[in-house]
Amino acid sequence: MAHEPRDVPYSADLFLRENQDFLRGIAACGDVHAARRILYRRASMRQYGAAESGHDLRYVLARDCARVLRGLLAERSDRLAGFSVTQAIWDLARSVARPDLQPAFHAELIHLMRGLQGKVDLYSVAKEPAEPEALNGREAALFRSEQLDRLWATVQNRMDRYESGLLPQAILRRERRRQRVLAALGGRPEDWTDWHWHTANVLRSVDVLANAVKLHPDEARAVRRSGEAHLPFGVTPYYASLMDDDPEAGRDRAVRAQVLPPLDYVARMACHRDDRCMAFDFMREGDTSPVDLVTRRYPAIAILKPYNTCPQICVYCQRNWEIETAMAPDALAPWERIEAACDWIQAHPAIRELLITGGDPLALPDEDLRRLLDRVRAIPSLDLIRIGSRVPVTLPFRITDALADLLAGYRVPGHRDICVVTHIEHPYEVTPELVAAAARLIGRGLSVYNQLVYTFHVSRRFEAASLRLLLRRVGIEPYYTFVPKGKEEMRAYRVPIARVMQEQKEEARLLPGTRRTDEPVYNLPGLGKNHIRAVQHRDLISILPDGARVYEFHPWEKNVVRRQAYVGSDVPLLEYLQRLEASGEDVGEYRSIWYYY
Ligand code: SF4
């Protein structure tokens, strides 16, 4: 059975042809409600039939598909999603023209119905002969062990596609790149390890950047337009040195995507230059900020944002509506506002953990950071101070011995801990400089965690798995895997939730336990993190005409406190697979993605 988008002309015809039995008599229904009742019953009967057949795990697949189909057919789903899948199926069955329905819509229904009938080959990572039933004891163990060896060889082979920044050839490449960046900026060799030199020489314009880095014409155009529209932009000289002279080799794809904005992103951001707060505050931080500089979405955690800038700007920054530019002067809030924020936190002793983020607090000078942490330390309820910083990745020289000593000074074992949560996206970002920075922190008893934002550019098979393995070798713990937010300007970065689920099950799950401790989450506007590992935290309620899945996400307080759910749409699976294919991936290897809901 072909699964590649290129080979499958997903269409209404194919859907109707493959499901004649299931749709029999639907065209004759007098109204959509009658059609709904029949389809709903047939979905359940298919599930019942699959259970009777007793055929291995295909029953589970049929059960999942039946559950999803019933959810899509529900009248309540129509109301919530503003679109009726039942009406669409009824129309198709009656040959009513539905030009609004795209191939991505048909693809979803076709795969769903195939799953319901057990007509799916899911085993896309490795094919293995079944274990002979006669084997037991040591013989069975040896057979199984050989199977596991072969499986790991497949995994290793896939992971080897992604070059780490610790490989000798990568180190050599970066040394040459460093010379070019220094030359472009008129720097001396001894400047390279001076973090002040880097923050004073952030690459902000296309002309300076093009002198230091080989840019594709589209990249240059986007950076130029970004400058003309006064959008936040900036790359540290160090991070620029991670970009290769032969970008067509694809090793630095994730590095470039971090900082070089796509053209459509620039266009959207430029349109809303003057109302960014309204247009891009996806997380509705305005609605969860009880006092200036503070965000609170959970009972025991608050976020403090005293410093509104970073050494470099990530394109998909959640706070792209707030941050003005890289290393903006006057980005530190007035001390009286910081004091007022800390007073407020102190007046709410339920808050046990404070995340200091921004902006990047570790871009502050030591003396400001000390003053800030001294004030925070005086809040008696806090037993964990979490510093959110991308500096270990964008400017590892900032993690000096003095800074590590300063941070470690706030750690009182048994009373209060302090840790750093950083944001490493790809093995190619893991360099000897980053390892040394992490070692300075870890060596002083500070834990370092990683939050991976699972963007399109790091979402190929085993790409994130290879990062997790590497992180543990550095001593950094994988903490969260974030589904990119549903921000429209970020479309080029988004990955369907189904892919995150697939990655967790078919890739991360193959790693040893301590290498995959990260929790996949989706941040919901006004609500906070939805843990997507468990399907009971959301319901798939509709497929829109363009193939986008619509989910009803349950609030994290479900079963604890009554709160509204959040309805949001995903990126269409077919669109994602087509982009993967265009980037050279064999999308047949991703075919089970249709069955993660
Ligand atoms: S480091 Fe964090 S706050 Fe700064 S630009 Fe990147 S995502 Fe935004």
Side-chain angles (χ1 to χ4, degrees), residues 251-291:
R251 292 177 297 261
D252 64 350
R253 181 175 101 138
V255 169
R256 285 173 182 263
Q258 271 294 299
V259 285
L260 303 179
L263 278 162
D264 66 330
Y265 167 87
V266 175
R268 279 177 196 274
M269 290 291 285
C271 281
H272 293 282
R273 179 72 188 100
D274 299 323
D275 65 342
R276 287 194 300 160
C277 296
M278 296 301 294
F280 301 123
D281 179 13
F282 178 79
M283 286 305 293
R284 298 212 326 255
E285 292 202 44
D287 296 349
T288 47
S289 174
V291 63

mmCIF file of all heavy atoms in Angstrom, residues 251-291:
data_model
loop_
_atom_site.group_PDB
_atom_site.id
_atom_site.type_symbol
_atom_site.label_atom_id
_atom_site.label_comp_id
_atom_site.label_asym_id
_atom_site.label_seq_id
_atom_site.Cartn_x
_atom_site.Cartn_y
_atom_site.Cartn_z
ATOM 1 N N ARG A 251 23.737 20.582 7.538
ATOM 2 C CA ARG A 251 24.090 20.307 8.940
ATOM 3 C C ARG A 251 23.586 21.404 9.861
ATOM 4 O O ARG A 251 23.226 21.170 11.000
ATOM 5 C CB ARG A 251 25.618 20.213 9.085
ATOM 6 C CG ARG A 251 26.265 19.033 8.435
ATOM 7 C CD ARG A 251 27.777 19.127 8.616
ATOM 8 N NE ARG A 251 28.316 20.304 7.962
ATOM 9 C CZ ARG A 251 28.898 20.319 6.769
ATOM 10 N NH1 ARG A 251 29.046 19.201 6.103
ATOM 11 N NH2 ARG A 251 29.344 21.442 6.241
ATOM 12 N N ASP A 252 23.610 22.654 9.358
ATOM 13 C CA ASP A 252 23.304 23.798 10.222
ATOM 14 C C ASP A 252 21.875 24.298 10.019
ATOM 15 O O ASP A 252 21.546 25.416 10.382
ATOM 16 C CB ASP A 252 24.296 24.933 9.967
ATOM 17 C CG ASP A 252 24.188 25.481 8.544
ATOM 18 O OD1 ASP A 252 23.487 24.864 7.718
ATOM 19 O OD2 ASP A 252 24.802 26.532 8.270
ATOM 20 N N ARG A 253 21.033 23.445 9.471
ATOM 21 C CA ARG A 253 19.653 23.839 9.163
ATOM 22 C C ARG A 253 18.938 24.398 10.399
ATOM 23 O O ARG A 253 18.317 25.462 10.355
ATOM 24 C CB ARG A 253 18.934 22.593 8.631
ATOM 25 C CG ARG A 253 17.521 22.769 8.223
ATOM 26 C CD ARG A 253 17.020 21.475 7.603
ATOM 27 N NE ARG A 253 16.220 20.736 8.544
ATOM 28 C CZ ARG A 253 15.082 20.115 8.229
ATOM 29 N NH1 ARG A 253 14.645 20.134 6.992
ATOM 30 N NH2 ARG A 253 14.400 19.463 9.129
ATOM 31 N N ALA A 254 19.042 23.677 11.512
ATOM 32 C CA ALA A 254 18.334 24.113 12.727
ATOM 33 C C ALA A 254 18.956 25.384 13.296
ATOM 34 O O ALA A 254 18.260 26.228 13.864
ATOM 35 C CB ALA A 254 18.358 23.002 13.769
ATOM 36 N N VAL A 255 20.270 25.520 13.147
ATOM 37 C CA VAL A 255 20.962 26.711 13.661
ATOM 38 C C VAL A 255 20.455 27.945 12.928
ATOM 39 O O VAL A 255 20.070 28.952 13.534
ATOM 40 C CB VAL A 255 22.491 26.546 13.477
ATOM 41 C CG1 VAL A 255 23.218 27.852 13.753
ATOM 42 C CG2 VAL A 255 23.014 25.437 14.376
ATOM 43 N N ARG A 256 20.425 27.870 11.615
ATOM 44 C CA ARG A 256 19.959 29.018 10.826
ATOM 45 C C ARG A 256 18.490 29.333 11.130
ATOM 46 O O ARG A 256 18.111 30.495 11.272
ATOM 47 C CB ARG A 256 20.131 28.728 9.327
ATOM 48 C CG ARG A 256 21.564 28.816 8.887
ATOM 49 C CD ARG A 256 21.787 28.363 7.463
ATOM 50 N NE ARG A 256 23.199 28.454 7.173
ATOM 51 C CZ ARG A 256 23.778 29.480 6.542
ATOM 52 N NH1 ARG A 256 23.053 30.458 6.070
ATOM 53 N NH2 ARG A 256 25.084 29.516 6.363
ATOM 54 N N ALA A 257 17.693 28.274 11.216
ATOM 55 C CA ALA A 257 16.257 28.497 11.432
ATOM 56 C C ALA A 257 15.989 29.187 12.768
ATOM 57 O O ALA A 257 14.968 29.848 12.941
ATOM 58 C CB ALA A 257 15.517 27.162 11.374
ATOM 59 N N GLN A 258 16.912 29.041 13.703
ATOM 60 C CA GLN A 258 16.759 29.697 15.002
ATOM 61 C C GLN A 258 16.699 31.209 14.895
ATOM 62 O O GLN A 258 15.981 31.867 15.635
ATOM 63 C CB GLN A 258 17.982 29.377 15.874
ATOM 64 C CG GLN A 258 17.872 28.156 16.697
ATOM 65 C CD GLN A 258 16.810 28.313 17.735
ATOM 66 O OE1 GLN A 258 16.884 29.186 18.575
ATOM 67 N NE2 GLN A 258 15.811 27.486 17.655
ATOM 68 N N VAL A 259 17.502 31.750 13.993
ATOM 69 C CA VAL A 259 17.709 33.202 14.011
ATOM 70 C C VAL A 259 17.391 33.903 12.700
ATOM 71 O O VAL A 259 17.174 35.116 12.695
ATOM 72 C CB VAL A 259 19.167 33.538 14.412
ATOM 73 C CG1 VAL A 259 19.370 33.331 15.890
ATOM 74 C CG2 VAL A 259 20.172 32.743 13.608
ATOM 75 N N LEU A 260 17.391 33.160 11.595
ATOM 76 C CA LEU A 260 17.140 33.808 10.309
ATOM 77 C C LEU A 260 15.658 33.635 9.985
ATOM 78 O O LEU A 260 15.190 32.520 9.742
ATOM 79 C CB LEU A 260 18.013 33.188 9.210
ATOM 80 C CG LEU A 260 19.518 33.238 9.496
ATOM 81 C CD1 LEU A 260 20.304 32.574 8.369
ATOM 82 C CD2 LEU A 260 20.000 34.670 9.699
ATOM 83 N N PRO A 261 14.902 34.720 9.992
ATOM 84 C CA PRO A 261 13.445 34.578 9.865
ATOM 85 C C PRO A 261 13.030 34.223 8.448
ATOM 86 O O PRO A 261 13.647 34.677 7.488
ATOM 87 C CB PRO A 261 12.935 35.978 10.229
ATOM 88 C CG PRO A 261 14.071 36.894 9.926
ATOM 89 C CD PRO A 261 15.333 36.115 10.130
ATOM 90 N N PRO A 262 11.967 33.411 8.294
ATOM 91 C CA PRO A 262 11.428 33.193 6.955
ATOM 92 C C PRO A 262 10.700 34.454 6.474
ATOM 93 O O PRO A 262 10.239 35.262 7.292
ATOM 94 C CB PRO A 262 10.439 32.040 7.133
ATOM 95 C CG PRO A 262 10.404 31.703 8.576
ATOM 96 C CD PRO A 262 11.259 32.652 9.329
ATOM 97 N N LEU A 263 10.590 34.584 5.163
ATOM 98 C CA LEU A 263 9.995 35.807 4.598
ATOM 99 C C LEU A 263 8.555 36.018 5.058
ATOM 100 O O LEU A 263 8.147 37.135 5.360
ATOM 101 C CB LEU A 263 10.048 35.729 3.068
ATOM 102 C CG LEU A 263 11.400 36.130 2.464
ATOM 103 C CD1 LEU A 263 11.527 35.612 1.038
ATOM 104 C CD2 LEU A 263 11.593 37.642 2.514
ATOM 105 N N ASP A 264 7.760 34.932 5.127
ATOM 106 C CA ASP A 264 6.355 35.137 5.504
ATOM 107 C C ASP A 264 6.233 35.578 6.962
ATOM 108 O O ASP A 264 5.338 36.330 7.334
ATOM 109 C CB ASP A 264 5.507 33.894 5.213
ATOM 110 C CG ASP A 264 5.897 32.720 6.072
ATOM 111 O OD1 ASP A 264 7.076 32.632 6.449
ATOM 112 O OD2 ASP A 264 5.023 31.887 6.371
ATOM 113 N N TYR A 265 7.163 35.126 7.791
ATOM 114 C CA TYR A 265 7.173 35.577 9.188
ATOM 115 C C TYR A 265 7.408 37.086 9.239
ATOM 116 O O TYR A 265 6.709 37.826 9.941
ATOM 117 C CB TYR A 265 8.277 34.838 9.956
ATOM 118 C CG TYR A 265 8.595 35.430 11.309
ATOM 119 C CD1 TYR A 265 7.874 35.053 12.431
ATOM 120 C CD2 TYR A 265 9.611 36.372 11.461
ATOM 121 C CE1 TYR A 265 8.156 35.602 13.676
ATOM 122 C CE2 TYR A 265 9.900 36.926 12.695
ATOM 123 C CZ TYR A 265 9.171 36.537 13.804
ATOM 124 O OH TYR A 265 9.453 37.089 15.023
ATOM 125 N N VAL A 266 8.386 37.537 8.466
ATOM 126 C CA VAL A 266 8.709 38.968 8.464
ATOM 127 C C VAL A 266 7.498 39.764 7.989
ATOM 128 O O VAL A 266 7.138 40.794 8.575
ATOM 129 C CB VAL A 266 9.933 39.243 7.556
ATOM 130 C CG1 VAL A 266 10.197 40.739 7.452
ATOM 131 C CG2 VAL A 266 11.164 38.530 8.100
ATOM 132 N N ALA A 267 6.831 39.249 6.944
ATOM 133 C CA ALA A 267 5.676 39.979 6.404
ATOM 134 C C ALA A 267 4.586 40.103 7.466
ATOM 135 O O ALA A 267 4.020 41.179 7.680
ATOM 136 C CB ALA A 267 5.155 39.255 5.170
ATOM 137 N N ARG A 268 4.297 39.008 8.171
ATOM 138 C CA ARG A 268 3.234 39.050 9.189
ATOM 139 C C ARG A 268 3.606 39.969 10.342
ATOM 140 O O ARG A 268 2.791 40.750 10.829
ATOM 141 C CB ARG A 268 2.978 37.651 9.749
ATOM 142 C CG ARG A 268 2.094 36.802 8.886
ATOM 143 C CD ARG A 268 1.976 35.416 9.489
ATOM 144 N NE ARG A 268 1.457 34.484 8.529
ATOM 145 C CZ ARG A 268 0.167 34.282 8.308
ATOM 146 N NH1 ARG A 268 -0.712 34.955 8.989
ATOM 147 N NH2 ARG A 268 -0.235 33.418 7.406
ATOM 148 N N MET A 269 4.840 39.833 10.795
ATOM 149 C CA MET A 269 5.272 40.657 11.927
ATOM 150 C C MET A 269 5.255 42.133 11.543
ATOM 151 O O MET A 269 4.869 42.989 12.339
ATOM 152 C CB MET A 269 6.686 40.252 12.369
ATOM 153 C CG MET A 269 6.786 38.905 13.030
ATOM 154 S SD MET A 269 6.011 38.851 14.658
ATOM 155 C CE MET A 269 7.205 39.740 15.658
ATOM 156 N N ALA A 270 5.675 42.420 10.304
ATOM 157 C CA ALA A 270 5.755 43.818 9.874
ATOM 158 C C ALA A 270 4.364 44.446 9.833
ATOM 159 O O ALA A 270 4.178 45.604 10.198
ATOM 160 C CB ALA A 270 6.420 43.898 8.502
ATOM 161 N N CYS A 271 3.360 43.639 9.437
ATOM 162 C CA CYS A 271 1.978 44.152 9.384
ATOM 163 C C CYS A 271 1.512 44.618 10.749
ATOM 164 O O CYS A 271 0.661 45.482 10.870
ATOM 165 C CB CYS A 271 1.018 43.054 8.945
ATOM 166 S SG CYS A 271 1.048 42.793 7.223
ATOM 167 N N HIS A 272 2.016 43.960 11.775
ATOM 168 C CA HIS A 272 1.524 44.251 13.129
ATOM 169 C C HIS A 272 2.581 44.942 13.974
ATOM 170 O O HIS A 272 2.583 44.806 15.190
ATOM 171 C CB HIS A 272 1.080 42.951 13.811
ATOM 172 C CG HIS A 272 -0.126 42.345 13.179
ATOM 173 N ND1 HIS A 272 -1.395 42.822 13.408
ATOM 174 C CD2 HIS A 272 -0.254 41.333 12.299
ATOM 175 C CE1 HIS A 272 -2.257 42.108 12.705
ATOM 176 N NE2 HIS A 272 -1.594 41.203 12.021
ATOM 177 N N ARG A 273 3.464 45.668 13.309
ATOM 178 C CA ARG A 273 4.554 46.305 14.052
ATOM 179 C C ARG A 273 4.023 47.148 15.215
ATOM 180 O O ARG A 273 4.586 47.160 16.300
ATOM 181 C CB ARG A 273 5.376 47.190 13.083
ATOM 182 C CG ARG A 273 6.528 47.935 13.736
ATOM 183 C CD ARG A 273 7.654 46.979 14.110
ATOM 184 N NE ARG A 273 8.693 47.630 14.906
ATOM 185 C CZ ARG A 273 8.798 47.525 16.225
ATOM 186 N NH1 ARG A 273 7.945 46.804 16.888
ATOM 187 N NH2 ARG A 273 9.773 48.128 16.880
ATOM 188 N N ASP A 274 2.894 47.827 14.989
ATOM 189 C CA ASP A 274 2.425 48.759 16.021
ATOM 190 C C ASP A 274 1.380 48.172 16.965
ATOM 191 O O ASP A 274 0.967 48.831 17.913
ATOM 192 C CB ASP A 274 1.867 50.029 15.352
ATOM 193 C CG ASP A 274 2.960 50.724 14.551
ATOM 194 O OD1 ASP A 274 4.111 50.715 15.027
ATOM 195 O OD2 ASP A 274 2.669 51.227 13.453
ATOM 196 N N ASP A 275 0.908 46.962 16.668
ATOM 197 C CA ASP A 275 -0.042 46.361 17.618
ATOM 198 C C ASP A 275 0.392 44.935 17.951
ATOM 199 O O ASP A 275 -0.406 44.023 18.058
ATOM 200 C CB ASP A 275 -1.475 46.383 17.060
ATOM 201 C CG ASP A 275 -1.616 45.507 15.814
ATOM 202 O OD1 ASP A 275 -0.581 45.173 15.207
ATOM 203 O OD2 ASP A 275 -2.747 45.156 15.464
ATOM 204 N N ARG A 276 1.693 44.776 18.137
ATOM 205 C CA ARG A 276 2.231 43.435 18.374
ATOM 206 C C ARG A 276 1.620 42.791 19.614
ATOM 207 O O ARG A 276 1.388 41.597 19.657
ATOM 208 C CB ARG A 276 3.758 43.493 18.536
ATOM 209 C CG ARG A 276 4.488 43.741 17.241
ATOM 210 C CD ARG A 276 5.960 43.453 17.389
ATOM 211 N NE ARG A 276 6.582 44.281 18.406
ATOM 212 C CZ ARG A 276 7.738 43.987 18.994
ATOM 213 N NH1 ARG A 276 8.375 42.890 18.683
ATOM 214 N NH2 ARG A 276 8.260 44.790 19.894
ATOM 215 N N CYS A 277 1.376 43.616 20.649
ATOM 216 C CA CYS A 277 0.851 43.050 21.901
ATOM 217 C C CYS A 277 -0.469 42.347 21.642
ATOM 218 O O CYS A 277 -0.729 41.263 22.153
ATOM 219 C CB CYS A 277 0.634 44.131 22.941
ATOM 220 S SG CYS A 277 2.147 44.912 23.420
ATOM 221 N N MET A 278 -1.315 42.975 20.817
ATOM 222 C CA MET A 278 -2.624 42.400 20.538
ATOM 223 C C MET A 278 -2.497 41.193 19.613
ATOM 224 O O MET A 278 -3.147 40.178 19.791
ATOM 225 C CB MET A 278 -3.524 43.451 19.855
ATOM 226 C CG MET A 278 -3.850 44.647 20.713
ATOM 227 S SD MET A 278 -4.687 44.169 22.225
ATOM 228 C CE MET A 278 -6.216 43.552 21.545
ATOM 229 N N ALA A 279 -1.635 41.338 18.606
ATOM 230 C CA ALA A 279 -1.605 40.326 17.545
ATOM 231 C C ALA A 279 -0.837 39.072 17.932
ATOM 232 O O ALA A 279 -1.188 37.982 17.506
ATOM 233 C CB ALA A 279 -1.002 40.942 16.281
ATOM 234 N N PHE A 280 0.198 39.191 18.735
ATOM 235 C CA PHE A 280 1.098 38.050 18.906
ATOM 236 C C PHE A 280 1.191 37.506 20.327
ATOM 237 O O PHE A 280 1.947 36.588 20.580
ATOM 238 C CB PHE A 280 2.500 38.429 18.414
ATOM 239 C CG PHE A 280 2.508 38.838 16.966
ATOM 240 C CD1 PHE A 280 2.994 40.069 16.580
ATOM 241 C CD2 PHE A 280 2.004 37.990 15.997
ATOM 242 C CE1 PHE A 280 2.991 40.448 15.249
ATOM 243 C CE2 PHE A 280 1.992 38.358 14.659
ATOM 244 C CZ PHE A 280 2.484 39.595 14.283
ATOM 245 N N ASP A 281 0.430 38.096 21.265
ATOM 246 C CA ASP A 281 0.477 37.577 22.633
ATOM 247 C C ASP A 281 -0.375 36.316 22.698
ATOM 248 O O ASP A 281 -1.435 36.281 23.312
ATOM 249 C CB ASP A 281 -0.019 38.637 23.626
ATOM 250 C CG ASP A 281 -0.005 38.111 25.068
ATOM 251 O OD1 ASP A 281 0.609 37.050 25.303
ATOM 252 O OD2 ASP A 281 -0.607 38.754 25.935
ATOM 253 N N PHE A 282 0.118 35.254 22.043
ATOM 254 C CA PHE A 282 -0.634 34.006 21.930
ATOM 255 C C PHE A 282 -0.982 33.442 23.306
ATOM 256 O O PHE A 282 -2.057 32.900 23.520
ATOM 257 C CB PHE A 282 0.197 32.995 21.135
ATOM 258 C CG PHE A 282 -0.446 31.651 20.993
ATOM 259 C CD1 PHE A 282 -1.440 31.445 20.050
ATOM 260 C CD2 PHE A 282 -0.061 30.590 21.789
ATOM 261 C CE1 PHE A 282 -2.044 30.200 19.907
ATOM 262 C CE2 PHE A 282 -0.655 29.342 21.652
ATOM 263 C CZ PHE A 282 -1.644 29.153 20.713
ATOM 264 N N MET A 283 -0.047 33.555 24.230
ATOM 265 C CA MET A 283 -0.260 32.948 25.547
ATOM 266 C C MET A 283 -1.159 33.798 26.438
ATOM 267 O O MET A 283 -1.392 33.463 27.586
ATOM 268 C CB MET A 283 1.090 32.717 26.241
ATOM 269 C CG MET A 283 1.866 31.552 25.666
ATOM 270 S SD MET A 283 0.911 30.026 25.683
ATOM 271 C CE MET A 283 0.771 29.717 27.432
ATOM 272 N N ARG A 284 -1.625 34.923 25.901
ATOM 273 C CA ARG A 284 -2.476 35.850 26.658
ATOM 274 C C ARG A 284 -1.838 36.165 28.013
ATOM 275 O O ARG A 284 -2.461 36.082 29.068
ATOM 276 C CB ARG A 284 -3.884 35.268 26.833
ATOM 277 C CG ARG A 284 -4.607 35.031 25.520
ATOM 278 C CD ARG A 284 -6.110 35.222 25.614
ATOM 279 N NE ARG A 284 -6.700 34.842 26.852
ATOM 280 C CZ ARG A 284 -7.426 33.726 27.045
ATOM 281 N NH1 ARG A 284 -7.625 32.893 26.046
ATOM 282 N NH2 ARG A 284 -7.950 33.469 28.212
ATOM 283 N N GLU A 285 -0.559 36.532 27.924
ATOM 284 C CA GLU A 285 0.148 36.827 29.172
ATOM 285 C C GLU A 285 -0.474 38.027 29.859
ATOM 286 O O GLU A 285 -0.422 38.164 31.076
ATOM 287 C CB GLU A 285 1.642 37.042 28.899
ATOM 288 C CG GLU A 285 2.314 35.754 28.471
ATOM 289 C CD GLU A 285 3.813 35.751 28.691
ATOM 290 O OE1 GLU A 285 4.267 36.190 29.754
ATOM 291 O OE2 GLU A 285 4.525 35.310 27.788
ATOM 292 N N GLY A 286 -1.054 38.914 29.022
ATOM 293 C CA GLY A 286 -1.728 40.068 29.614
ATOM 294 C C GLY A 286 -2.813 39.638 30.594
ATOM 295 O O GLY A 286 -3.062 40.312 31.595
ATOM 296 N N ASP A 287 -3.456 38.496 30.327
ATOM 297 C CA ASP A 287 -4.552 38.023 31.185
ATOM 298 C C ASP A 287 -4.057 37.211 32.376
ATOM 299 O O ASP A 287 -4.855 36.781 33.208
ATOM 300 C CB ASP A 287 -5.507 37.119 30.383
ATOM 301 C CG ASP A 287 -6.201 37.885 29.275
ATOM 302 O OD1 ASP A 287 -6.114 39.120 29.268
ATOM 303 O OD2 ASP A 287 -6.815 37.234 28.413
ATOM 304 N N THR A 288 -2.768 36.937 32.407
ATOM 305 C CA THR A 288 -2.257 36.119 33.516
ATOM 306 C C THR A 288 -1.152 36.854 34.274
ATOM 307 O O THR A 288 -0.334 36.242 34.937
ATOM 308 C CB THR A 288 -1.717 34.763 32.995
ATOM 309 O OG1 THR A 288 -0.886 34.993 31.861
ATOM 310 C CG2 THR A 288 -2.833 33.815 32.623
ATOM 311 N N SER A 289 -1.141 38.175 34.114
ATOM 312 C CA SER A 289 -0.129 38.968 34.812
ATOM 313 C C SER A 289 -0.804 39.787 35.913
ATOM 314 O O SER A 289 -1.391 40.833 35.651
ATOM 315 C CB SER A 289 0.579 39.902 33.813
ATOM 316 O OG SER A 289 1.450 40.760 34.511
ATOM 317 N N PRO A 290 -0.738 39.301 37.153
ATOM 318 C CA PRO A 290 -1.439 39.996 38.241
ATOM 319 C C PRO A 290 -0.765 41.297 38.649
ATOM 320 O O PRO A 290 -1.379 42.140 39.311
ATOM 321 C CB PRO A 290 -1.392 38.977 39.385
ATOM 322 C CG PRO A 290 -0.214 38.121 39.082
ATOM 323 C CD PRO A 290 -0.049 38.095 37.605
ATOM 324 N N VAL A 291 0.501 41.451 38.277
ATOM 325 C CA VAL A 291 1.239 42.671 38.601
ATOM 326 C C VAL A 291 2.331 42.797 37.537
ATOM 327 O O VAL A 291 2.744 41.789 36.945
ATOM 328 C CB VAL A 291 1.832 42.576 40.038
ATOM 329 C CG1 VAL A 291 2.834 41.440 40.160
ATOM 330 C CG2 VAL A 291 2.463 43.875 40.490
#
